[in-house]
Amino acid sequence: MKGRAPLVGRDRELVALDAALDGLAAGAGGALAVVGEPGIGKSTLLAEVCSRADARGWLALGGRGTELEGEVPFGVWIDALDPYLGSLSSGRLRPLPEPHQAELAAVFPALAWLEGERASRLEAERYRAHHADAGLLELLARETPCVLALDDMHWADPASLELLAHLLRRRAAAPLLLVLGLRPAQAPRALLEALRGGRCESIEPRGLTREESDGLLGASIDRAERERLWRESGGKP
């Protein structure tokens, strides 16, 4: 992304992101969680991995959980995928089975035009949506490697977390990389269990050192002010 400032104090994290992207280039999907307290820079790293995927000519999509919409079923996935799905022609989704198309129409507003009987949203039958969504992501990733960055997953609705757990257990047979941002102290038990059971690697950004903070702030701010900002922020970028 043009004009994007280089990240300071994030060499270790960028190595992990690049390794995940290199694996994607080799055809291997995966999952990576960026965990930490508010303000530590999780969202910046998620934006960075999307920028680097975009620079490679890949599909990079992002969405996030919101505190006020925690009861909207599949809200995180709708936020990430719906704008892109709305740009697709009908022919792009034709390879999907008709029952999957009906399930997707029931989840994503942008696909409401898909023909077929509207799927049931009963809890016991939600697995149908899981398989349909997994099929959709595999279809997109087979066309080009895909990075899906989902931020603030600690606020995700239960249906979104169930789908995440399904995808982590059943890795896509295509180059799909899930990158998740979350605050572990606020994460619901279902999310933590999904990450533990899904072989999801994690990185935890640390606070910047005084020297790194100086590099971020620049010499235009006097030394005493830089010291105060670093001390009061705890090194949070």
Side-chain angles (χ1 to χ4, degrees):
M1 186 180 298
K2 291 183 179 180
R4 190 176 183 84
L7 298 184
V8 174
R10 292 292 178 252
D11 292 346
R12 178 180 59 88
E13 291 82 359
L14 293 177
V15 166
L17 295 182
D18 282 336
L21 293 174
D22 289 342
L24 206 60
L32 182 65
V34 183
V35 302
E37 56 188 316
I40 202 65
K42 302 182 298 297
S43 297
T44 299
L45 287 170
L46 264 64
E48 182 69 21
V49 72
C50 285
S51 178
R52 293 184 179 215
D54 184 68
R56 298 187 187 213
W58 299 344
L59 178 62
L61 302 174
R64 68 192 316 139
T66 60
E67 190 173 13
L68 300 180
E69 297 180 358
E71 298 304 319
V72 177
F74 301 104
V76 175
W77 301 93
I78 293 171
D79 188 47
L81 294 169
D82 209 55
Y84 180 73
L85 295 177
S87 71
L88 300 182
S89 65
S90 59
R92 292 280 296 280
L93 301 179
R94 191 170 296 142
L96 295 172
E98 288 188 5
H100 283 192
Q101 294 183 30
E103 290 290 340
L104 294 171
V107 172
F108 297 102
L111 300 182
W113 53 268
L114 283 172
E115 296 181 357
E117 182 179 353
R118 194 168 180 82
S120 170
R121 292 273 65 84
L122 294 176
E123 291 289 335
E125 299 182 356
R126 195 174 278 168
Y127 72 92
R128 295 178 180 175
H130 298 166
H131 285 281
D133 292 338
L136 171 65
L137 292 172
E138 288 186 10
L139 175 67
L140 297 178
R142 280 197 297 268
E143 295 174 351
T144 183
C146 178
V147 172
L148 193 55
L150 305 176
D151 204 0
D152 291 333
M153 286 299 288
H154 48 278
W155 283 329
D157 61 277
S160 288
L161 294 180
E162 289 175 8
L163 176 55
L164 174 65
H166 174 83
L167 293 172
L168 290 176
R169 289 194 306 269
R170 180 189 175 276
R171 291 296 175 87
L176 171 67
L177 175 64
L178 299 176
V179 186
L180 314 169
L182 62 123
R183 304 173 189 172
Q186 293 178 248
R189 185 175 184 179
L191 174 56
L192 297 178
E193 290 179 349
L195 297 179
R196 284 195 294 267
R199 307 185 311 281
C200 181
E201 298 182 32
S202 65
I203 56 177
E204 187 171 356
R206 55 172 176 75
L208 301 182
T209 65
R210 183 183 285 103
E211 291 74 19
E212 290 167 344
S213 180
D214 283 347
L216 180 64
L217 293 171
S220 61
I221 300 177
D222 68 68
R223 179 173 297 277
E225 182 67 3
R226 293 201 304 270
E227 172 70 21
R228 183 186 69 82
L229 290 172
W230 174 76
R231 186 174 59 253
E232 294 184 4
S233 69
K236 295 180 182 178

